[in-house]
Amino acid sequence: MHGDMAMLLLADSRLPAGGHAHSGGAEEAVRVGAITGPEDLARFLRGRLATAGVVTAALAAAACEVGARPAPERWQRLDAEADCRISAPAQREASRTQGRLLVRTTRRIWPSEALDSLALAVPDGAHHPVALGAAAAAAGCEPRQAALAAAYTSVTAPATAAVRLLGLDPVLVHRLLADLAPALNDAAHEACVIQADDWSDLPAHAAPALDLLAEQHLRTEVRLFVS
Amino acid sequence: MSANHDDHHHAPDGHGRALRLGIGGPVGSGKTALVAALCRSLGPSLRLGVVTNDIYTTEDADFLRRAGVIDAERILAVQTGCCPHTAIRDDIAANIDAVETLEERFGPLDLVIVESGGDNLTATFSRGLADRQIFVLDVSGGDKVPRKGGPGVTTADLLVVNKTDLAPMVGADLTVMSRDAAKVRDGKPVLFTSIREDKGAHSVAEWVVGIVDAWHHEHAHSV
Ligand SMILES: Nc1nc2c(ncn2[C@@H]2O[C@H](COP(=O)(O)OP(=O)(O)OP(=O)(O)O)[C@@H](O)[C@H]2O)c(=O)[nH]1
Ligand SMILES: [Mg+2]
């Protein structure tokens, strides 16, 4: 019942969980000239949503399921599934950092067994989508709502970063985001197909360009964003 | 929350942890110089940790490590994604994480100093992050700055006006600054420094010792 409101809170960039410092690869894409304006950005966002976005949404949906019946072993296994779907070490680290901060923040907002057990099971920080799904469960969301929030933040973070880095017209960029609505729905739908505990079938789309950008970003001396 | 969680999740209240001191102020006013000075003066008597919020790179953290005023591992740098004030005011998660990491690794600590990225006169620390805060101005911004007010100048627990050695060069009138600051600060303290000349910023260090002692008394029963 409270799921809609909780989903909005979780998807809001104002959620104080450290997300503002991550660009989802956009900063490096801007630096190497892969994003120079709205057209490039639109393609970047679409590609990100179809790959990392879907994977992230599927993991969040699965985590939301686990959150309804939390057990340390299940958290650890799902976190390992996330680990093997995030190939670049730089992205793994960014994902775990964001996950740790998200758990810290959401435990205070929605105190719950789901989040307590995740924090204990993966003390160094669960992957971000796993943490997001756990928080969604704690807040009363359904898996589909967790998936939507995850897919949504996977494109809003780079869009906001591009606005800041390139001085793009923010209204135009929001229009690009609005144009993604059907794709966002598709991503959330794809994310929720697998419901059982056999997570090996969860989507595992690779995005080698994003992996490379993440690794280069870590080696770039001058940067504003963590990832 | 369940009672038996033994992971490192600190209560948001002050019990059993170090005093968290925010140091904010405009770009280049001397925040890092003040952090270094406080480490010099207080390092021998207090257990310290430092968190820096750099805009680009890890310049401030690197400067402090090179200065050798505190163990390099006791300094953590937070990145702020284009928005230094967001990281200290609206979304403090990464800073809290850094502070608690220092406390877990080196604790118990007496004082954790958090330096904000250089920002504007409206940038102040959230109470969720800093227990007390210092706002650092310098005289070269002009003697009108305290009069302009802004939450940093008006609400900080201590206002530091640094680089007094430059006052004659930039034609800044320190008595004007002092009078205007007093007017908008409702009796809260203001200190004038030249960290270039006083490498230990002793007047500020003395004020910090006072608030650390007070903090310790307030929370002593739980330490
Ligand atoms: N003349 C003079 N220069 C000072 C004084 N204190 C600091 N400086 C110099 O001012 C410059 C900026 O000092 P920082 O300590 O880096 O200033 P900051 O506020 O940390 O700067 P950001 O972090 O970049 O916003 C450096 O070149 C310092 O050496 C002072 O008391 N007098
Ligand atoms: Mg500095």
Side-chain angles (χ1 to χ4, degrees):
Chain A
M1 280 299 103
H2 310 296
D4 282 343
M5 167 69 173
M7 178 182 71
L8 294 174
L9 285 171
L10 283 169
D12 193 336
S13 66
R14 285 165 293 194
L15 181 76
H20 72 98
H22 293 263
S23 80
E27 180 172 39
E28 188 64 12
V30 166
R31 195 185 68 84
V32 302
I35 301 178
T36 57
E39 293 82 21
D40 301 333
L41 178 62
R43 282 193 293 275
F44 181 90
L45 296 177
R46 210 164 272 285
R48 194 166 202 281
L49 181 57
T51 54
V54 169
V55 172
T56 253
L59 289 164
C64 189
E65 289 269 320
V66 175
R69 290 177 292 124
E73 177 274 333
R74 297 182 79 212
W75 286 128
Q76 284 156 3
R77 214 152 48 77
L78 184 60
D79 191 66
E81 293 286 348
D83 217 36
C84 66
R85 281 169 176 75
I86 304 172
S87 32
Q91 280 181 327
R92 283 189 192 170
E93 169 142 10
S95 171
R96 286 199 184 283
T97 301
Q98 279 187 277
R100 189 174 69 244
L101 301 192
L102 185 63
V103 169
R104 182 198 303 283
T105 296
T106 54
R107 274 175 95 180
R108 286 183 57 200
I109 304 175
W110 295 286
S112 61
E113 197 201 334
L115 288 164
D116 286 351
S117 73
L118 176 61
L120 279 176
V122 193
D124 291 336
H127 277 295
H128 182 249
V130 176
L132 183 57
C141 292
E142 315 261 293
R144 188 185 146 72
Q145 292 169 316
L148 272 174
Y152 175 80
T153 52
S154 82
V155 288
T156 51
T160 304
V163 168
R164 291 185 189 163
L165 292 166
L166 291 170
L168 300 181
D169 175 356
V171 180
L172 183 57
V173 171
H174 258 68
R175 181 179 170 152
L176 299 181
L177 289 170
D179 288 344
L180 288 175
L184 194 79
N185 264 318
D186 291 348
H189 181 77
E190 187 182 344
C192 294
V193 173
I194 308 293
Q195 293 287 356
D197 248 14
D198 186 16
W199 295 317
S200 57
D201 288 340
L202 288 175
H205 309 308
L210 286 178
D211 295 344
L212 290 173
L213 287 173
E215 286 301 308
Q216 281 171 34
H217 185 256
L218 210 56
R219 287 167 186 73
T220 302
E221 199 182 329
V222 171
R223 55 201 171 98
L224 291 163
F225 291 86
V226 182
S227 73
Chain B
M1 244 174 268
S2 65
N4 64 339
H5 61 286
D6 57 351
D7 55 331
H8 306 288
H9 181 75
H10 292 249
D13 66 26
H15 293 283
R17 63 161 175 79
L19 175 75
R20 296 169 184 179
L21 174 64
I23 297 186
V27 177
S29 61
K31 298 180 291 299
T32 305
L34 179 59
V35 174
L38 291 176
C39 289
R40 263 182 220 111
S41 296
L42 304 175
S45 54
L46 296 179
R47 296 162 295 187
L48 301 176
V50 172
V51 176
T52 63
N53 281 251
D54 282 308
I55 302 193
Y56 263 129
T57 68
T58 51
E59 187 97 25
D60 285 354
D62 295 342
F63 173 87
L64 291 169
R65 290 187 183 116
R66 273 197 313 274
V69 289
I70 176 173
D71 283 351
E73 319 84 72
R74 286 176 181 251
I75 305 168
L76 289 182
V78 167
Q79 270 170 310
T80 57
C82 269
C83 266
H85 55 268
T86 302
I88 60 158
R89 188 183 60 200
D90 311 303
D91 181 354
I92 57 177
N95 269 298
I96 293 280
D97 188 56
V99 170
E100 292 188 358
T101 300
L102 286 172
E103 297 200 87
E104 277 156 29
R105 282 192 199 147
F106 304 106
L109 299 176
D110 300 305
L111 176 67
V112 178
I113 301 174
V114 182
E115 181 192 339
S116 80
D119 211 303
N120 59 46
L121 295 174
T122 66
T124 52
F125 285 82
S126 159
R127 291 158 194 267
L129 173 61
D131 303 303
R132 300 286 181 274
Q133 48 190 306
I134 298 178
F135 201 74
V136 184
L137 294 176
D138 67 26
V139 302
S140 62
D143 54 21
K144 66 192 177 306
V145 176
R147 188 161 61 243
K148 286 184 171 176
V153 171
T154 55
T155 67
D157 298 289
L158 173 66
L159 178 67
V160 169
V161 181
N162 185 37
K163 307 193 191 178
T164 52
D165 56 299
L166 296 182
M169 266 83 98
V170 297
D173 186 336
L174 297 182
T175 41
V176 167
M177 294 185 91
S178 165
R179 190 194 59 212
D180 290 347
K183 216 180 282 171
V184 294
R185 282 182 51 76
D186 219 9
K188 289 190 291 294
V190 182
L191 292 171
F192 286 79
T193 58
S194 167
I195 299 172
R196 170 135 310 165
E197 291 162 349
D198 175 9
K199 301 255 185 278
H202 286 96
S203 57
V204 182
E206 201 176 306
W207 180 85
V208 173
V209 167
I211 59 168
V212 171
D213 281 349
W215 180 262
H216 188 70
H217 285 301
E218 219 175 296
H219 301 283
H221 57 280
S222 63
V223 181

